[in-house]
Amino acid sequence: MKNTALTEVHIELGAKMVPFAGYNMPVQYEGVNIEHETVRNHLGVFDVSHMGEFLISGPNALALIQKVSSNDATKLTIGKAQYSCLPNEDGGIVDDLIIYKMKEEQYLLVVNASNIEKDWNWISKYNESFGADMRNISDDYSLLAIQGPKAVEAMQSLTPVDLSAIKFYSFEVGEFAGIKHVIISATGYTGSGGFEIYCKNTEVEQVWSKVLEAGKDFGIKPIGLAARDTLRLEMGYCLYGNDIDDTTSPLEAGLGWITKFSKDFVNSEALQRQKEAGVSKKLVGFEMIERGIPRHGYEIINEADEVIGNVTSGTMAPSLNKGIGMGYVTTENAQEGTTIYLQIRKKKVQAKVVKLPFYKK
């Protein structure tokens, strides 16, 4: 089990620690609902240093990224980030990731913790044809997510960079919390605004304590992974391993917007054919009509009790006070407003397909 540079800090704060993606991680401090509401209404800070970071540089860096990723990275300018995925050769997804353009001929790829080795091997395999310089810097860097509507106001005292000027999916490299050359990125996984801060492991404890200090008057609290999951689910954001995986295509997952057929990429011809033919199943959001909490793996059935899909993510949404979930259903059952049912133990519980996101500000 790996630790982040802040593991001891979390234990001292009384966090409940659990194994996650090979790391010892804080799942909660005070409780999921309190932490969830803190981020929605005020400000929270997450340690997400388990995420992986690859630096890809050189004259062929862009060509390699274009080959392995589904989105069009030529659209990136320095200081911009892009959500993308790595398609596999069988119609599924190796991982979803964020690509940052750091400099001309230098990109930072941020990947999921559970897939670091898999992604590295996958990209390396294709790099044999491109010869880009690849560095896995995952073990040297920490990542804090400072999320919530008070983020700009609370954190401005820590940096000369104008935080209000950093647009969504943009970033600046500058001084933050007394540390130089920190990446301050207006990305996040909560739908409540804020920043992600990349710094070295040796610097993160200083950053963490200064963030908590600066946010004190704004109600900041440390937040665990459980609330991160309920926050992202209310926004309808996919979680790798649940809503997308090696068997789900980006088109089935509603990720057509990051799948650009204006270029050649891994398995693009097959995905283009799938787009033209139409998919047989789709990832949808649904709300419970009757009482019940959806859970990963539950069967989704129709009026006639036929299995039409399965739940990939579900929870009792703290901001909405109702059961919500995501899951794959057959295309004819994917329209907004369609009545579906969940098989919860021996009960058939009614739900309806809704448009994402569930939570609207």
Side-chain angles (χ1 to χ4, degrees):
M1 193 64 61
K2 286 183 172 179
N3 290 322
T4 75
L6 292 172
T7 297
E8 291 306 318
V9 174
H10 301 310
I11 293 166
E12 278 168 34
L13 286 168
K16 181 184 176 193
M17 306 295 286
V18 297
F20 182 82
Y23 285 79
N24 189 19
M25 297 297 289
V27 69
Q28 62 180 47
Y29 299 83
E30 286 182 80
V32 182
N33 288 3
I34 294 171
E35 291 170 33
H36 180 107
E37 291 304 329
T38 297
V39 174
R40 280 277 179 258
N41 301 315
H42 305 287
L43 190 60
V45 56
F46 304 78
D47 176 14
V48 281
S49 304
H50 59 318
M51 300 292 280
E53 292 89 16
F54 306 154
L55 209 52
I56 300 190
S57 327
N60 289 335
L62 179 59
L64 170 63
I65 289 165
Q66 285 290 79
K67 180 65 181 174
V68 297
S69 69
S70 63
N71 210 334
D72 184 0
T74 63
K75 298 281 191 276
L76 282 171
T77 53
I78 295 166
K80 297 285 180 200
Q82 184 183 73
Y83 180 59
S84 192
C85 77
L86 304 173
N88 66 22
E89 287 154 2
D90 310 310
I93 299 171
V94 178
D95 202 4
D96 62 336
L97 74 165
I98 299 180
I99 300 167
Y100 293 82
K101 184 165 184 176
M102 305 303 298
K103 300 172 184 168
E104 286 307 331
E105 302 188 353
Q106 188 185 73
Y107 297 83
L108 178 70
L109 274 49
V110 180
V111 303
N112 285 300
S114 52
N115 292 334
I116 293 171
E117 192 181 349
K118 178 174 90 160
D119 293 358
W120 178 262
N121 293 340
W122 181 259
I123 299 167
S124 297
K125 179 179 89 168
Y126 282 94
N127 194 35
E128 285 171 17
S129 313
F130 293 94
D133 179 54
M134 287 177 60
R135 284 172 58 209
N136 182 354
I137 56 172
S138 306
D139 289 341
D140 303 321
Y141 278 79
S142 291
L143 173 55
L144 300 182
I146 304 161
Q147 297 283 294
K150 303 273 201 276
V152 171
E153 202 184 344
M155 294 299 119
Q156 190 57 71
S157 65
L158 295 180
T159 178
V161 173
D162 180 1
L163 296 178
S164 65
I166 306 178
K167 300 278 181 281
F168 193 47
Y169 267 74
S170 299
F171 67 94
E172 290 271 356
V173 179
E175 189 179 321
F176 186 88
I179 307 287
K180 291 197 165 41
H181 310 302
V182 168
I183 299 171
I184 308 164
S185 172
T187 43
Y189 198 45
T190 65
S192 282
F195 301 94
E196 294 187 305
I197 303 291
Y198 297 83
C199 63
K200 291 186 174 147
N201 291 344
T202 50
E203 302 162 340
V204 72
E205 207 165 325
Q206 177 175 321
V207 176
W208 173 270
S209 61
K210 291 207 170 183
V211 163
L212 286 176
E213 205 179 308
K216 205 161 54 184
D217 294 342
F218 299 88
I220 198 169
K221 289 179 178 177
I223 312 291
L225 292 182
R228 186 172 161 86
D229 194 49
T230 55
L231 288 156
R232 71 91 195 167
L233 185 47
E234 285 187 348
M235 293 308 296
Y237 294 153
C238 290
L239 174 65
Y240 194 89
N242 280 41
D243 313 299
I244 50 176
D245 60 30
D246 285 301
T247 68
T248 57
S249 105
L251 303 176
E252 293 168 343
L255 297 176
W257 63 282
I258 62 163
T259 310
K260 299 290 164 52
F261 294 111
S262 52
K263 60 166 202 168
D264 169 54
F265 59 86
V266 174
N267 207 39
S268 56
E269 285 179 15
L271 288 171
Q272 175 83 56
R273 287 196 297 273
Q274 185 184 52
K275 185 185 180 181
E276 284 158 13
V279 294
S280 58
K281 63 175 184 177
K282 279 186 181 173
L283 184 66
V284 297
F286 60 86
E287 285 181 356
M288 301 306 297
I289 302 295
E290 297 178 299
R291 280 179 69 85
I293 301 175
R295 297 285 181 224
H296 176 80
Y298 283 0
E299 285 183 341
I300 300 174
I301 56 178
N302 63 12
E303 186 70 59
D305 293 349
E306 298 159 330
V307 176
I308 54 167
N310 64 292
V311 176
T312 55
S313 287
T315 194
M316 176 60 80
S319 303
L320 308 168
N321 203 22
K322 62 173 93 166
I324 61 167
M326 283 160 50
Y328 285 92
V329 295
T330 51
T331 307
E332 58 269 27
N333 290 286
Q335 280 72 36
E336 192 183 337
T338 303
T339 299
I340 58 173
Y341 300 87
L342 266 58
Q343 190 68 52
I344 302 181
R345 289 173 288 279
K346 291 183 178 170
K347 281 182 75 179
K348 178 179 176 179
V349 186
Q350 191 178 0
K352 72 167 176 188
V353 175
V354 296
K355 191 171 185 241
L356 296 170
F358 300 102
Y359 174 77
K360 294 166 185 74
K361 291 190 184 74

